[in-house]
């Protein structure tokens, strides 16, 4: 091993606090700092936008300038340096491309970010002395051409020989797809058959992200579940074929949150501070929030909030469908957000004064008060690459109610009534009734079993969503690309010239990151009284809302169902390490399998949630849901049609898992199978018999209106956004995990395009 530190160039179109339009900005603003703390040298490269505040531009130091060839052009590129918290930022300066009012949305975005990618690649020759780039880490389509340029134009140069490339997908719905005239005019690659072939996505278009997926040494996305989902036609936006082919280098690494900015113990924006040890402040926060929003100030009403873009991606179809049931069932609901569903939310706020509130605005301070003052946080997303809001909610002791998709599945452990484990309430299918059931599972617990509720809150608050965990996983990934570089952690002094003596825990090379505390939290005592109602009819009647819950169904049936789900879950989880072992490497799942038993347990909640209901039902559901314009209608159809097949699929999975699992898989399977059944199964079971009659309700005016509006706007906006590629030949590549290509779910794509800012 050499003494050299891991030296990483991290390229992103956004980085907080300089420029941020979404999660990418958060990641690029926080992860590099965490990587430095984990022992890496990091340079972040960002365009020098005209919008960057003068408090930063005034402090920038000009370190280099050179020209970048782009087709027939020769473009100026300046490098401006700023060092903050041990991270060096190099701003790529070209006023013609970047001195504008907003980062994206211009006619020449294809050219602007081709320039950025080429400039990043060229800059590796102009880095500060002593910095020799080991890993070029690119993010999203804006930087996707850098690995392509690097291999096609710079490969022969000794400096570039050692550079390994990592490409991270933060949102696969945005790929940078442009007319293929760009190949010659801007990229200067029309004469390179290999590049032209790998960039082309149809006879007239090229696709930047597709290029990165083919040319990068490693590919990551922002949660393990999303890493699996994007290999399916439902979520892959036409790139699932390539991702399946390259699944051996694909891994999912969860994002973190800024635990200093989101800390109920110190948050200056909330009514009263509180912590897991002393929760009294949270009650005060709730009362203050109810008063502020014009809701009845009552602690016996669970208060559920949403802080979100009001879009289809965020599950607003399900929300508008189920709100009557939820509000009339005694649950207060408050929504903060803007987007396509503003009118339906105003409608419900008017219809249920004192019980429902809608704030149609973007208000960071109010969002803090809502996270702090609520009992539950609703996030029923259609798809969710990672999601930050549910992690923030848990940090504030607000229990999330989420659909088991993407990062939601990986961060929220479903409540287990038998062990008290869990950090929230989850449901599998994109179905308004299932969502309603999950909400009432939470509400019933709130009403009926305070001890179990409080334990769940403690579990949620103990979860570790800091960047430390993610940074360690990225370090392991880099180490796999450069095994000769020692990544033993130094003492947490970021700018020490030499790594300090490692601690006992840190001494192990490539030590896995600390697992989320959520999963390691002491299991709560078994709470018999916390039994889920077999029927939520009672919960729906406001007058009866506070009455004791009916007795749960006998445990045997749910136990069977859940066991099936879990076994399949473990199968799904266990599949990944095997698939990735060639990449050498330490994908999340592999690491889990390698850990001692106690640590392996840490992955349980996520694994238990990665149920086959998702591999089967979710797949079918997503397809069905998204191929119809009206989600509420689809919901009804799905509910009746899908349940039996789900049940049989999970049973089949139960049988086959143990025999198929490789050693690593078997370990994972065991951990998952050891867990008792969850209450979710009970409720889901009861749902299947109830949902059909509710199909008619799905056609209610607000939901319908909003949905069609969303669909219309999706279609309209889709043209303005970087288009998703059409399905290409690569779809026929390797069969896992979706061996039967489903019809392309066009409306999902449209919804995704509409809902993103980029
Ligand atoms: P997204 O897909 O929008 O990035 P995330 O859950 O990853 O969803 O992050 C959303 C972030 O934006 C969270 O920090 C959330 O609190 C914040 N947010 C969303 N809508 C609003 C709003 N209307 N006002 C204040 N903050 C908001």
């Amino acid at each position: 091993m050499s003494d050299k530190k891991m030296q990483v160039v991290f390229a992103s179109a956004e980085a907080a606090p300089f420029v941020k339009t979404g999660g990418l900005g958060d990641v690029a603003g926080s992860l590099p700092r965490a990587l430095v703390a984990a022992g890496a040298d990091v340079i972040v490269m960002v365009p020098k936008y005209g919008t960057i505040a003068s408090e930063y531009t005034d402090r920038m130091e000009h370190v280099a300038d050179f020209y970048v060839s782009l087709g027939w052009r020769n473009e100026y590129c300046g490098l401006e340096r700023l060092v903050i918290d041990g991270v060096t930022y190099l701003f790529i300066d070209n006023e013609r491309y970047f001195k504008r009012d907003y980062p994206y949305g211009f006619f020449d975005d294809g050219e602007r970010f081709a320039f950025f990618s080429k400039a990043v690649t060229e800059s590796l020759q102009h880095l500060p002395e002593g910095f020799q780039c080991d890993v070029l880490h690119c993010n999203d389509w804006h930087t996707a051409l850098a690995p392509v340029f690097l291999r096609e134009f710079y490969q022969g140069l000794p400096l570039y020989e050692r550079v390994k490339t990592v490409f991270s997908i933060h949102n696969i719905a945005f790929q940078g797809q442009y007319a293929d005239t760009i190949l010659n005019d801007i990229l200067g690659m029309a004469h390179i058959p290999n590049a032209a072939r790998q960039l082309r996505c149809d006879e007239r278009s090229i696709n930047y992200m597709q290029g990165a997926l083919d040319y990068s040494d490693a590919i990551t996305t922002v949660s393990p579940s999303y890493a699996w989902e994007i290999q399916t036609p439902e979520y892959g936006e036409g790139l699932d074929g390539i991702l399946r082919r390259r699944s051996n280098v694909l891994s999912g690494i969860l994002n973190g949150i800024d635990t200093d900015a989101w800390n109920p113990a110190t948050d200056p924006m909330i009514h009263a501070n509180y912590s897991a040890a002393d929760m009294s402040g949270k009650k005060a926060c709730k009362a203050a929030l109810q008063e502020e929003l014009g809701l009845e100030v009552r602690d016996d009403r669970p208060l559920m909030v949403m802080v979100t873009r009001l879009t289809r991606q965020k599950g607003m179809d399900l929300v508008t469908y189920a709100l009557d049931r939820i509000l009339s069932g005694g649950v207060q609901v408050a929504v903060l957000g803007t987007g396509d569903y503003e009118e339906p939310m105003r409608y419900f706020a008017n219809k249920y004064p004192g019980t429902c509130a809608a704030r149609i605005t973007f208000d960071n301070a109010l969002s803090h008060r809502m996270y702090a003052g609520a009992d539950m946080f609703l996030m029923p997303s259609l798809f969710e690459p990672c999601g930050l809001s549910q992690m923030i909610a848990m940090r504030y002791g607000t229990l999330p109610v989420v659909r088991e998709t993407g990062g939601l599945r990986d961060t929220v452990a479903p409540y287990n009534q038998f062990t008290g484990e869990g950090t929230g309430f989850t449901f599998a299918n994109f179905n308004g009734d299932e969502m309603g059931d999950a909400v009432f599972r939470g509400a019933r617990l709130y009403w009926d079993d305070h001890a179990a509720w409080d334990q769940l809150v403690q579990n949620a608050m103990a979860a570790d969503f800091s960047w430390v965990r993610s940074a360690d996983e990225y370090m392991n990934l880099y180490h796999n690309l450069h095994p000769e570089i020692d990544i033993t952690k130094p003492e947490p002094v970021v700018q020490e010239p030499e790594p300090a003596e490692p601690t006992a825990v840190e001494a192990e090379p490539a030590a896995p990151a600390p697992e989320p505390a959520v999963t390691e939290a002491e299991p709560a005592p078994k709470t018999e009284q916390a039994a889920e109602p077999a029927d939520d009819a009672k919960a729906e009647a406001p007058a009866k809302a506070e009455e004791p819950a009916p007795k749960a169904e006998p445990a045997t049936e749910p136990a069977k169902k859940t066991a099936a789900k879990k076994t399949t879950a473990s199968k799904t989880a266990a599949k990944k390490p095997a698939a990735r072992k060639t990449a050498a490497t330490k994908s999340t799942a592999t690491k889990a399998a390698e850990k001692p038993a106690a640590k392996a347990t840490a992955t349980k909640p996520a694994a238990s949630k990665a149920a086959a209901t998702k591999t089967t039902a979710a797949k079918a559901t997503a397809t069905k849901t998204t191929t119809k314009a009206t989600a509420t209608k689809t919901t009804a159809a799905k509910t009746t049609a899908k349940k039996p097949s789900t049940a049989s699929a999970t049973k089949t999975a139960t049988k086959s898992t143990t025999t198929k699992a490789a050693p690593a898989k078997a370990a994972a399977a065991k951990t998952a199978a050891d867990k008792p059944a969850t209450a979710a199964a009970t409720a889901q079971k009861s749902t299947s018999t109830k949902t059909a009659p509710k199909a008619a309700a799905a056609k209610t005016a607000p939901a319908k209106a909003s949905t069609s509006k969303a669909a219309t706007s999706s279609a309209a906006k889709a043209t303005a956004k970087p288009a998703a590629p059409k399905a290409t030949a690569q779809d026929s590549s390797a069969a896992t995990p979706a061996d039967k290509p489903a019809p392309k779910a066009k409306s999902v794509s449209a919804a995704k395009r509409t809902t993103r800012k980029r």
Side-chain angles (χ1 to χ4, degrees):
M1 295 249 176
S2 73
D3 288 343
K4 186 182 186 305
K5 278 179 138 189
M6 188 69 73
Q7 296 189 302
V8 181
V9 170
F10 191 93
S12 172
E14 306 181 18
F18 313 108
V19 54
K20 175 189 153 182
T21 70
L24 175 62
D26 280 326
V27 174
S30 321
L31 175 58
R33 228 181 317 145
L35 289 171
V36 168
D41 267 353
V42 183
I43 290 179
V44 181
M45 291 197 185
V46 196
K48 189 182 174 199
Y49 297 109
T51 50
I52 296 176
S54 58
E55 64 174 295
Y56 301 118
T57 51
D58 290 349
R59 289 158 48 203
M60 290 177 190
E61 173 200 358
H62 180 84
V63 290
D65 50 71
F66 44 89
Y67 281 80
V68 174
S69 65
L70 208 60
W72 51 265
R73 301 160 190 76
N74 231 7
E75 290 291 340
Y76 170 85
C77 176
L79 291 183
E80 312 283 320
R81 177 167 58 186
L82 189 62
V83 181
I84 299 179
D85 290 342
V87 180
T88 300
Y89 294 87
L90 284 181
F91 292 88
I92 303 282
D93 183 25
N94 178 307
E95 295 196 348
R96 189 164 83 78
Y97 288 132
F98 299 128
K99 196 169 184 188
R100 305 187 190 183
D101 292 343
Y102 199 75
Y104 324 108
F106 301 97
F107 75 98
D108 58 347
D109 279 357
E111 179 177 336
R112 295 170 71 223
F113 290 101
F115 167 78
F116 180 54
S117 297
K118 191 84 179 279
V120 164
T121 318
E122 182 76 25
S123 298
L124 301 188
Q125 303 171 59
H126 303 274
L127 300 179
E129 196 154 326
F131 196 105
Q132 190 185 22
C133 177
D134 301 305
V135 175
L136 174 59
H137 188 153
C138 300
N139 295 275
D140 269 355
W141 74 269
H142 324 96
T143 55
L145 287 177
V148 182
F149 288 137
L150 192 143
R151 293 287 169 246
E152 295 297 353
F153 291 139
Y154 297 83
Q155 186 65 61
L157 303 172
L159 183 113
Y160 289 86
E161 287 289 346
R162 63 174 293 99
V163 178
K164 299 287 184 187
T165 51
V166 175
F167 182 73
S168 290
I169 302 167
H170 298 260
N171 186 347
I172 203 166
F174 291 84
Q175 302 174 358
Q177 186 173 320
Y178 295 99
D180 64 357
T181 49
I182 273 187
L183 255 184
N184 185 42
D185 184 44
I186 293 170
L187 310 190
M189 287 183 151
H191 64 288
I192 308 175
N194 201 33
R197 182 175 53 78
Q198 293 187 85
L199 283 166
R200 182 174 295 284
C201 59
D202 64 31
E203 67 276 12
R204 289 176 181 212
S205 316
I206 61 162
N207 185 317
Y208 289 10
M209 187 179 278
Q210 181 179 310
L213 298 184
D214 261 331
Y215 276 82
S216 299
D217 296 306
I219 303 166
T220 73
T221 187
V222 289
S223 69
S225 286
Y226 194 61
W228 173 81
E229 287 172 349
I230 56 179
Q231 295 177 58
T232 68
E234 289 81 1
Y235 292 89
E237 296 285 320
L239 294 180
D240 48 288
I242 292 187
L243 288 164
R244 288 196 296 275
R245 175 159 54 74
R246 301 224 66 208
S247 62
N248 61 330
V249 299
L250 168 65
S251 59
I253 300 177
L254 267 179
N255 285 340
I257 55 171
D258 184 337
T259 46
D260 294 329
W262 298 105
N263 183 355
T266 56
D267 192 335
M269 289 183 249
I270 63 178
H271 187 75
N273 290 116
Y274 61 92
S275 65
D278 176 7
M279 294 293 288
S280 52
K282 187 159 176 74
K283 274 200 187 321
C285 287
K286 177 175 177 180
L289 181 65
Q290 285 173 319
E291 190 166 343
E292 175 181 355
L293 297 177
L295 300 171
E296 288 178 47
V297 182
R298 293 176 56 169
D299 195 36
D300 61 343
R301 293 280 192 222
L303 170 55
M304 182 170 72
V305 300
M306 297 182 77
V307 179
T308 183
R309 292 180 284 120
L310 301 176
T311 61
R312 186 154 192 265
Q313 182 210 330
K314 297 296 181 181
M316 291 308 294
D317 287 333
L318 305 192
V319 174
T320 49
Y321 166 66
L323 260 186
D324 272 318
R325 174 185 168 199
I326 292 168
L327 293 165
S328 61
V331 176
Q332 292 183 342
V333 175
V335 174
L336 169 64
T338 56
D340 300 334
Y341 291 71
E342 295 175 0
E343 276 316 305
M345 291 322 304
R346 287 196 182 98
Y347 163 86
F348 282 108
N350 286 335
K351 187 173 174 186
Y352 295 92
T355 304
C356 181
R359 293 290 177 273
I360 308 299
T361 179
F362 192 98
D363 184 337
N364 184 48
L366 177 56
S367 80
H368 281 246
R369 296 196 291 278
M370 289 180 73
Y371 285 116
D375 300 301
M376 296 193 282
F377 189 90
L378 181 60
M379 202 162 169
S381 303
L382 175 62
F383 68 95
E384 196 62 69
C386 180
L388 301 176
S389 306
Q390 81 281 7
M391 295 193 252
I392 299 170
M394 285 186 266
R395 178 125 174 99
Y396 281 75
T398 299
L399 298 181
V401 179
V402 303
R403 187 168 95 84
E404 296 162 3
T405 185
L408 298 175
R409 174 192 286 165
D410 295 336
T411 53
V412 181
Y415 169 56
N416 181 326
Q417 70 180 94
F418 301 103
T419 64
E421 286 176 310
T423 56
F425 306 92
T426 71
F427 64 100
N429 300 305
F430 195 68
N431 175 307
D433 290 311
E434 281 192 32
M435 187 198 82
D437 291 344
V439 169
F440 281 106
R441 281 202 298 282
R444 287 254 58 102
L445 195 67
Y446 181 86
W447 282 317
D448 298 341
D449 193 337
H450 291 213
W453 178 273
D454 291 345
Q455 180 60 51
L456 226 52
V457 169
Q458 289 292 321
N459 295 351
M461 294 182 80
D464 175 12
F465 296 122
S466 70
W467 276 104
V468 176
R469 172 184 41 80
S470 314
D472 283 354
E473 291 195 42
Y474 281 109
M475 287 299 282
N476 288 336
L477 176 74
Y478 301 155
H479 180 63
N480 292 327
L481 298 172
H482 278 289
E484 77 284 4
I485 300 178
D486 184 8
I487 58 164
T488 308
K489 264 192 187 178
E491 287 291 333
V493 177
V494 292
Q495 282 184 306
E496 280 286 324
E498 281 183 23
E501 201 62 44
T503 63
V505 177
E506 290 162 344
E508 193 187 340
E515 290 299 322
V518 49
T519 52
E520 292 177 345
E522 202 64 18
K526 190 172 163 182
T527 51
E528 304 291 344
Q529 296 86 340
E532 291 295 327
D535 187 334
D536 63 12
K538 188 171 178 187
E540 288 179 345
K544 296 180 191 169
E546 290 83 359
E547 289 175 15
K551 271 209 178 311
E553 288 186 10
T556 46
E557 184 56 24
K560 244 193 284 173
K561 290 187 82 170
T562 314
K565 278 176 87 175
K566 280 184 186 139
T567 331
T568 321
S570 55
K571 184 183 172 191
T572 315
K575 220 171 176 177
K576 291 179 184 171
R580 291 179 199 152
K581 63 178 182 255
T582 17
T585 43
K586 317 253 171 160
S587 69
T588 312
T590 311
K591 278 192 293 169
E594 290 168 358
K595 280 173 206 160
K599 291 249 179 183
T601 316
T603 58
K604 275 198 302 182
S608 72
K609 285 174 284 152
T613 9
K614 288 153 221 150
T615 52
T616 53
K619 206 189 282 179
T621 308
T623 312
K624 281 181 194 168
T625 308
T626 53
T627 48
K628 305 211 174 190
T630 309
T632 43
K633 284 181 190 169
T634 333
T635 300
K638 269 182 303 163
T639 311
T640 39
K642 184 175 48 52
K643 300 267 173 182
S645 65
T646 304
S648 66
T650 49
K651 273 180 198 155
T652 316
T654 316
K655 282 183 188 161
S656 59
T657 306
T658 22
T659 46
K660 280 187 186 168
K665 292 176 188 172
K670 185 175 181 312
T671 18
D674 284 343
K675 287 179 70 185
T678 64
T682 316
Q684 279 185 9
K685 181 170 177 280
S686 65
T687 313
S688 61
T689 54
K690 283 187 302 175
T691 43
K694 297 208 174 189
K699 294 174 186 170
T700 51
K704 205 172 172 185
S706 61
T707 312
S708 55
K709 183 183 166 194
T712 316
S713 77
S714 298
K717 289 184 188 175
T719 50
K721 303 280 186 181
K726 298 186 174 94
T728 55
Q730 73 253 16
D731 283 349
S732 61
S733 54
T736 55
D739 34 4
K740 201 171 85 181
K744 180 99 178 77
K746 289 214 165 69
S747 55
V748 163
S749 310
K752 289 175 183 175
R753 280 179 230 121
T754 309
T755 56
R756 302 302 297 192
K757 296 177 276 295
R758 296 188 293 284

